[in-house]
Amino acid sequence: MEEKIRVSKLLSELGLCSRREADSYIEQGLVTIDGEVVNELGSRAFRHQKIELQSGAKAQQASRITVILNKPVGFISHYDDEQEYQPAASLITPENYFASQLDKARNPRFNTRGLAPAGRLDIDSTGMLVLTQDGRIAKLLIGENSPIEKEYLVRVEGALSFEDLDRLKHGLELDGVVLKPAQVSWQNEDQLRFVLREGRKRQIRRMCELVGLRVLGLKRVRMGRISLGALPPGKWRFVRPEEQF
């Protein structure tokens, strides 16, 4: 017998919003089930029913900001409860805004409330960090089965055999879990290019250790179809409406 499921979970599975956002929209009466408004938290529905966000919810989503930061070394991607290190979000200021002709109508002074990193980047790593107020984008980038590729350039020290290069591509495991297949190739004589579809803690550094390599530098240069490009270290820019991960 088919069971009813929480509407907030169904909305998240459909990629329409995060569960937290769904609860907010339900409270505001901005969700319908088969055309009927639902405004009670914890409401449930069958999978075959038509669940939709109303225009008011879509307008709220359109107003949510997503930015790209070129994170320097020394900043952590998430907030530190002990306040030992500075979070990358502290760099999202008007002074660090990297303006371009494509963004001349955007105002770098915006309400950063709810702006959070969609993914991690170690304190000693640099490059592309996405911060967003939009739960849909966060789920797309860091959800359990995210389809989004993340590309890294990794400076390494040590010798790498053809066999170990193949192991980097597929055959290693971390914490007892076999890693998903990766694209790994030499970029130049001391730098490897990694393309991953997962992001386990310090994954690339640990992968390299397993084949006898020492990582000297690591930079994320692309997430999905959006690249870091010429964004200088410590600077940020808006993700434009026409850009899709």
Side-chain angles (χ1 to χ4, degrees), residues 122-224:
D122 298 332
I123 190 169
D124 43 4
S125 299
T126 67
M128 185 172 179
L129 185 66
V130 174
L131 299 97
T132 185
Q133 296 171 332
D134 193 329
R136 297 170 301 172
I137 290 177
K139 185 174 187 293
L140 175 67
L141 295 179
I142 59 176
E144 188 175 350
N145 295 307
S146 171
I148 301 299
E149 290 183 345
K150 288 91 173 176
E151 180 179 344
Y152 303 81
L153 297 180
V154 186
R155 281 195 307 111
V156 294
E157 184 179 68
L160 181 67
S161 67
F162 289 114
E163 291 80 6
D164 281 339
L165 179 59
D166 285 338
R167 289 177 65 211
L168 285 173
K169 294 176 182 178
H170 196 211
L172 297 177
E173 64 176 58
L174 294 176
D175 306 318
V177 178
V178 177
L179 297 175
K180 294 179 181 178
Q183 298 175 43
V184 186
S185 59
W186 284 106
Q187 185 79 3
N188 54 47
E189 61 184 17
D190 65 351
Q191 188 168 241
L192 288 166
R193 172 182 175 267
F194 281 73
V195 179
L196 307 180
R197 287 183 183 267
E198 60 187 331
R200 304 182 68 82
K201 188 174 181 180
R202 298 182 73 82
Q203 178 171 334
I204 291 177
R205 294 176 187 277
R206 295 167 70 193
M207 289 172 71
C208 287
E209 285 175 8
L210 289 173
V211 295
L213 293 177
R214 177 169 170 252
V215 172
L216 303 177
L218 188 154
K219 180 179 183 179
R220 184 158 61 205
V221 295
R222 177 175 64 86
M223 295 179 75

Side-chain angles (χ1 to χ4, degrees), residues 2 21 25 35 44 49 95 104-105 112 117 123 126 140 204:
E2 187 181 6
E21 289 168 343
Y25 297 147
R44 293 173 177 266
Q49 291 183 280
E95 294 73 28
K104 57 186 177 183
T112 58
I123 190 169
T126 67
L140 175 67
I204 291 177

